[in-house]
Amino acid sequence: MAEELRARFTEALKTAMLAKDAATTSTLRMILAKLKDTDIAARPSGVDKVPEEQIVAMLRGMAKSRRESVELYRQGGREELAAKEEAEIGVIESFLPQQMDEAATQAAIQAAIAETGAASVKDMGKVMAVLRAKHAASMDLGKAGPLVKAALGS
């Protein structure tokens, strides 16, 4: 599956280059460079190419840092830079798995609570571990944390 994602990056880069889409091309080159850095950083632990979960986490981190940059650019009145960052976010997110909607997230949280037998906020770690194991790719765990806390009765 990770090879499939790597192939999608390469295909998208070829397509963007043929279309002379400079913004998409530069974003895809940036993704591939970051992926190469991630692969190199993983070599000491005996991993030649990082698995898809790590690639998805890398992409999420890249999108998150760009969202923060957009906010800062807007505060500084640099709308053209904010627009550039938003375009990069669009390209990065096109490779991320579809995120769960609010209802699906709530259902997954309730299922995890039932599975772990969680009764209070003290059990939140168990619930989050189940959610991470089952839904890490399709759920924003940063948003799920407060929902789990609320469901367990903060």
Side-chain angles (χ1 to χ4, degrees):
M1 190 80 169
E3 290 303 315
E4 179 184 313
L5 196 51
R6 289 172 191 271
R8 281 180 53 207
F9 291 145
T10 308
E11 274 308 307
L13 180 61
K14 287 178 190 172
T15 305
M17 289 171 74
L18 288 172
K20 298 190 183 332
D21 182 349
T24 304
T25 301
S26 74
T27 303
L28 287 165
R29 283 184 172 150
M30 189 172 33
I31 289 170
L32 288 168
K34 177 81 170 167
L35 181 57
K36 188 170 186 167
D37 288 345
T38 305
D39 284 340
I40 290 169
R43 284 185 188 155
S45 61
V47 177
D48 202 28
K49 291 185 175 181
V50 293
E52 184 162 353
E53 307 85 58
Q54 281 187 279
I55 296 172
V56 169
M58 177 198 78
L59 290 172
R60 282 215 173 96
M62 291 175 76
K64 181 181 178 189
S65 70
R66 276 157 189 73
R67 276 192 210 93
E68 292 166 356
S69 295
V70 166
E71 209 173 290
L72 293 173
Y73 286 142
R74 289 236 159 87
Q75 288 171 6
R78 301 293 308 266
E79 203 53 48
E80 71 285 354
L81 292 174
K84 180 183 178 288
E85 295 286 323
E86 285 176 335
E88 289 178 1
I89 291 170
V91 172
I92 293 167
E93 287 183 340
S94 70
F95 292 100
L96 288 172
Q98 187 66 37
Q99 292 289 297
M100 288 182 166
D101 62 2
E102 186 79 27
T105 301
Q106 289 289 1
I109 289 170
Q110 292 307 320
I113 289 171
E115 183 180 324
T116 59
S120 71
V121 179
K122 290 179 182 175
D123 300 321
M124 186 172 164
K126 293 179 197 172
V127 175
M128 291 302 290
V130 169
L131 291 174
R132 187 173 294 107
K134 292 185 176 181
H135 306 289
S138 60
M139 180 185 289
D140 184 346
L141 294 171
K143 291 178 183 170
L147 295 173
V148 170
K149 194 171 188 178
L152 292 173
S154 58

